[in-house]
Amino acid sequence: RKEVEQDPGPFNVPEGATVAFNCTYSNSASQSFFWYRQDCRKEPKLLMSVYSSGNEDGRFTAQLNRASQYISLLIRDSKLSDSATYLCVVNKMDSSYKLIFGSGTRLLVRP
Amino acid sequence: DAGVIQSPRHEVTEMGQEVTLRCKPISGHDYLFWYRQTMMRGLELLIYFNNNVPIDDSGMPEDRFSAKMPNASFSTLKIQPSEPRDSAVYFCASSRTGLTKNIQYFGAGTRLSVL
């Protein structure tokens, strides 16, 4: 089983749609959780950290379910510019600095 | 502030040649990471340094790969000899002790093609 698993997609949605991604992780001792965004042929960039209580940043909402070991990302009112690959990221048990990246979920927002 | 700077951005070389990738972390960051990204394996951590000291190199694929960090502002990843299966995008990232949630910032990457 992969340490971090994501549905690769692609998710193809119209502008204005709401879309949700889920991610599961295997290490119950993980403490740090993130969503990174990666545009085609670019570097990963932090989208948002994920906190136990859930957090929101504009149109983006992240949730953490420790009991079920999954993380979610909700994007409301999708924009064309949201088209990218979204990487779920979790730290390894033996180091808070060692991050495990999921393979990513690709999102395509169409006009 | 300048972000993480990597060079070269693109490298094309022939099998058997030595390849050196370079990275300058964000000033003041004391952690530096080298990653490799391929379609098949995704983004993998190769090695990371703290205060210029290698902490974990368990992700380095084999002895052909080596990494150094001679000072706080410079690191290299060397492949000698290179092989076609080394073709990938290599990213460098940096972070700072105490930074919220240990967030890592990535450079633009070096796209390596070994022919």
Side-chain angles (χ1 to χ4, degrees), chain A residues 2 31-34 36 38 40-46 49-52 66 87 92 94-103, chain B residues 9-10 30-31 33 35 37 40 42-43 45 48 56 58 91 95-109 111:
Chain A
K2 288 184 179 179
Q31 295 295 323
S32 299
F33 309 91
F34 309 93
Y36 273 71
Q38 187 172 24
C40 187
R41 301 180 76 84
K42 299 287 189 180
E43 73 273 22
K45 291 183 178 178
L46 179 70
S49 300
V50 185
Y51 299 103
S52 297
R66 285 189 182 272
L87 304 170
K92 282 186 80 73
D94 59 338
S95 168
S96 61
Y97 286 95
K98 287 177 68 173
L99 300 182
I100 305 300
F101 285 75
S103 54
Chain B
R9 293 292 308 277
H10 303 274
D30 53 347
Y31 280 86
F33 308 83
Y35 290 88
Q37 187 174 38
M40 290 297 293
L43 197 60
L45 177 65
Y48 79 96
D56 188 330
S58 59
F91 289 105
S95 185
R96 178 171 55 82
T97 301
L99 203 61
T100 303
K101 302 282 279 185
N102 308 324
I103 294 167
Q104 296 181 16
Y105 296 89
F106 283 74
R111 188 170 297 272

Side-chain angles (χ1 to χ4, degrees), chain B:
Chain B
D1 281 342
V4 176
I5 299 172
Q6 292 187 246
S7 64
R9 293 292 308 277
H10 303 274
E11 177 80 31
V12 180
T13 190
E14 292 187 346
M15 183 173 63
Q17 296 298 306
E18 178 179 295
V19 175
T20 299
L21 311 181
R22 297 171 175 81
C23 175
K24 176 179 168 56
I26 293 172
S27 178
H29 281 195
D30 53 347
Y31 280 86
L32 184 139
F33 308 83
W34 282 102
Y35 290 88
R36 177 173 68 176
Q37 187 174 38
T38 61
M39 288 292 291
M40 290 297 293
R41 300 175 67 90
L43 197 60
E44 302 173 285
L45 177 65
L46 300 178
I47 184 172
Y48 79 96
F49 296 82
N50 178 222
N51 291 323
N52 313 336
V53 176
I55 302 301
D56 188 330
D57 65 354
S58 59
M60 295 285 262
E62 49 197 274
D63 292 345
R64 297 185 297 106
F65 285 69
S66 62
K68 294 182 180 179
M69 191 165 185
N71 57 63
S73 58
F74 183 66
S75 177
T76 59
L77 178 68
K78 186 175 293 187
I79 308 173
Q80 167 63 19
S82 58
E83 296 182 2
R85 60 192 168 120
D86 302 330
S87 298
V89 181
Y90 291 81
F91 289 105
C92 176
S94 71
S95 185
R96 178 171 55 82
T97 301
L99 203 61
T100 303
K101 302 282 279 185
N102 308 324
I103 294 167
Q104 296 181 16
Y105 296 89
F106 283 74
T110 295
R111 188 170 297 272
L112 174 65
S113 296
V114 183
L115 306 177

Side-chain angles (χ1 to χ4, degrees), chain A residues 46-71:
Chain A
L46 179 70
L47 177 66
M48 58 197 304
S49 300
V50 185
Y51 299 103
S52 297
S53 55
N55 48 300
E56 188 175 309
D57 183 2
R59 298 181 293 108
F60 299 83
T61 301
Q63 296 279 353
L64 169 64
N65 184 319
R66 285 189 182 272
S68 301
Q69 293 180 215
Y70 82 76
I71 307 157

Side-chain angles (χ1 to χ4, degrees), chain A residues 3-111:
Chain A
E3 292 179 272
V4 178
E5 294 206 59
Q6 296 183 250
D7 181 342
F11 285 64
N12 192 325
V13 302
E15 265 188 298
T18 295
V19 61
F21 309 137
N22 287 330
C23 158
T24 58
Y25 62 95
S26 61
N27 181 5
S28 60
S30 293
Q31 295 295 323
S32 299
F33 309 91
F34 309 93
W35 283 101
Y36 273 71
R37 169 194 169 130
Q38 187 172 24
D39 292 290
C40 187
R41 301 180 76 84
K42 299 287 189 180
E43 73 273 22
K45 291 183 178 178
L46 179 70
L47 177 66
M48 58 197 304
S49 300
V50 185
Y51 299 103
S52 297
S53 55
N55 48 300
E56 188 175 309
D57 183 2
R59 298 181 293 108
F60 299 83
T61 301
Q63 296 279 353
L64 169 64
N65 184 319
R66 285 189 182 272
S68 301
Q69 293 180 215
Y70 82 76
I71 307 157
S72 64
L73 177 68
L74 183 77
I75 305 175
R76 291 181 298 278
D77 189 23
S78 298
K79 311 291 184 191
L80 295 176
S81 58
D82 293 335
S83 297
T85 296
Y86 291 83
L87 304 170
C88 177
V89 186
V90 176
N91 75 292
K92 282 186 80 73
M93 181 177 64
D94 59 338
S95 168
S96 61
Y97 286 95
K98 287 177 68 173
L99 300 182
I100 305 300
F101 285 75
S103 54
T105 297
R106 192 170 170 212
L107 172 65
L108 301 173
V109 181
R110 63 181 187 271

